[in-house]
Amino acid sequence: MALIDTISPLLTTGWSKGDAGWSLKDYEARGGYAQLKRILSSKMTQDELIAEVKKSSLRGRGGAGFPTGLKWSFMPKAAPEKYVVCNTDEGEPGTFKDRDLLRYDPHSTIEGMIIAGYAVGAKRGYNYIHGEIFDIYQRFEEALDQARAAGYLGERILGSDFSFDLFAHHGWGAYICGEETGLLESIEGKKGQPRYKPPFPANFGLYGKPTTINNTETFAAIPFILGMGGEAYLNLGKPNNGGTKLFSVSGHVNRPGNYEVPMGTPFAKLLEMAGGMRGGRKLKAVIPGGSSAPVLPADVMMECTMDYDSIAKAGSMLGSGAVIVMDETVCMVKALERLSYFYFEESCGQCTPCREGSGWLYRVVHRIEHGQGRPEDLDLLNRVTDNMMGKTICALADAAAFPVRSFIKHFKSEFEYHIEHKKCLVDPEVQRAGSGFFRASSVARVA
Amino acid sequence: MNKQNDMLSPELSPEALRKIDREVAKYPADQKQSAVMAALVIAQDEKGWLSKETIAAVASYLGMPPIAAYEVATFYNMYDLQPVGKYKLTVCTNLPCALSGGVHAADYVKEKLGIDFNETTPDGKFTLKEGECMGACGDAPVMLVNNKRMCSFMLPEAIDKLLAECN
């Protein structure tokens, strides 16, 4: 398992026993389902519940950072059929927090979803789980069975008038399904191609019915917020950036893993928790919010605190909280080439600017990396991104463009060196050593 | 019918159909198509890969047009539309994994098996695929075995061990 550490454990409270602490009885022993019981027994109103979530300043943990309470309040009251959907299609490169949330504490997400169902008046929910983590999907199904058997799911929950049931749906390898309307299409048994918005899911969601869709970590935070009160939760972080957040730290650190820290924690502190730089090498760059977020050079990143506003001010996005750390052994052209290939591969093909533009970006970065770059290529790349950003149905085109623009902006001399000298500034053997992958010089064939 | 014929026939076994029924039950009665992703996985597990006939059989069972199921099977990366080896190994080479040796891990597997991405060993045992982010970057390098088993920290020794276990 990945290592974990925390400053103020909330979401990770239940993680200390590893794979031995996920079941219903463990969750109940930690105070689990107490908030659901309190809401039902006190007959808390939907408005009171949403007001409490608004007070917490909880913002969507999937990447967009939209205020959760506000999103819930968009749901039409009168509609007879409504849905709650959880987005665990965690495919943003660098992000692996929701996998651990469902692995070590699936019931906090389940309780959060039931409470959301109560708040928005939905009777049914789905959790869409990334296809590559099938064992986590199976565990979640087991947790659902436990919750159903204990009366937390189903008809007239705990003897109240409230009925809600919840099911797991798995993906099968498509990054685009992390986009909320692509995800809804996918649950409907179709290609995961995003829909035009508006209408937004709150009006036209799953099966065309009003739907609230939130990230796993967002739902998981709900029971804790109600337990401590919205204001106390807000105060854990900083204004407009309430609570704690899970950060998935990957790349060139000594201890990659998930770290839960209060919003506003200095990046330097997070880096220290992750064991510092691998081999004591020098920090070169950080992608602070998953591969779609603009890269930041080391000196800018070291001045940031980990919250939506600070990272935005520095010119990037907190996104999903995936912190990709790169040291001086990284070739920025090669790094960008791999990311550009990803967006090219994962574009759903629906919108021409994205389908064609992502291919252009990959092919041009690829030729620079392989010594065939032309002096005009950097301008060409920027022009292609101009023709992609904001011109498509969903944000994948923007996600493909941000890395290209930011890598060129901050590391232009490295791209120019590649074009001029037809090779990398960083020696390939240094790059290999940086990755930490060592092997015997002769390889025995097995097949 | 022997096992060989079972694999060739597009018909699904009663056991597979029972599993598909469990998936169908998760959705509103008029939304059986929602179960198509899971049903195709169940079919792929049973047949080893998805032929057009198998996809059509799944579509027919769910009461949807064959083309609609085929669209799904061709859209999502982990459906195998061609036969694959007994062990399909998918190595993530995306940036976070690459920073911790994902590309070198893939090169190492290629060299050990003597095949490139999208190839199968002559004995039909291994197929190698390049994967996109599996959402386990903290455990890099990561590999998937037959879509469902995630293997973490795949440095040379771990790769040697995994390949030795695959019989």
Side-chain angles (χ1 to χ4, degrees), chain A residues 30-102:
Chain A
R30 299 193 283 271
Y33 289 108
Q35 296 312 314
L36 176 64
K37 287 178 190 161
R38 182 172 68 90
I39 289 163
L40 295 178
S41 63
S42 68
K43 295 194 163 50
M44 198 170 179
T45 68
Q46 294 174 328
D47 289 341
E48 283 167 348
L49 188 45
I50 292 174
E52 199 62 34
V53 175
K54 279 185 177 169
K55 229 188 274 175
S56 75
S57 189
L58 173 68
R59 293 169 61 175
R61 301 300 196 220
F66 194 81
T68 305
L70 189 60
K71 191 185 249 189
W72 290 9
S73 71
F74 292 157
M75 288 285 276
K77 282 234 153 73
E81 192 183 341
K82 294 181 250 188
Y83 292 95
V84 169
V85 172
C86 178
N87 184 345
T88 314
D89 194 35
E90 189 177 47
E92 173 81 7
T95 319
F96 48 93
K97 64 190 177 64
D98 299 333
R99 170 186 182 230
D100 278 356
L101 264 174
L102 294 189

Side-chain angles (χ1 to χ4, degrees), chain A residues 86-89 98 101-102 109 127 214-221:
Chain A
C86 178
N87 184 345
T88 314
D89 194 35
D98 299 333
L101 264 174
L102 294 189
T109 297
N127 185 6
N214 286 128
N215 171 252
T216 321
E217 186 184 350
T218 310
F219 282 123

Side-chain angles (χ1 to χ4, degrees), chain A residues 126 137 168-169 187 190 207 438, chain B residues 26-27 34 76-77 100 156:
Chain A
Y126 293 95
Y137 165 77
H169 181 106
I187 297 183
K190 304 172 191 162
Y207 309 126
F438 303 105
Chain B
K26 292 178 180 177
Y27 307 96
S34 283
Y76 299 89
N77 290 336
S100 292

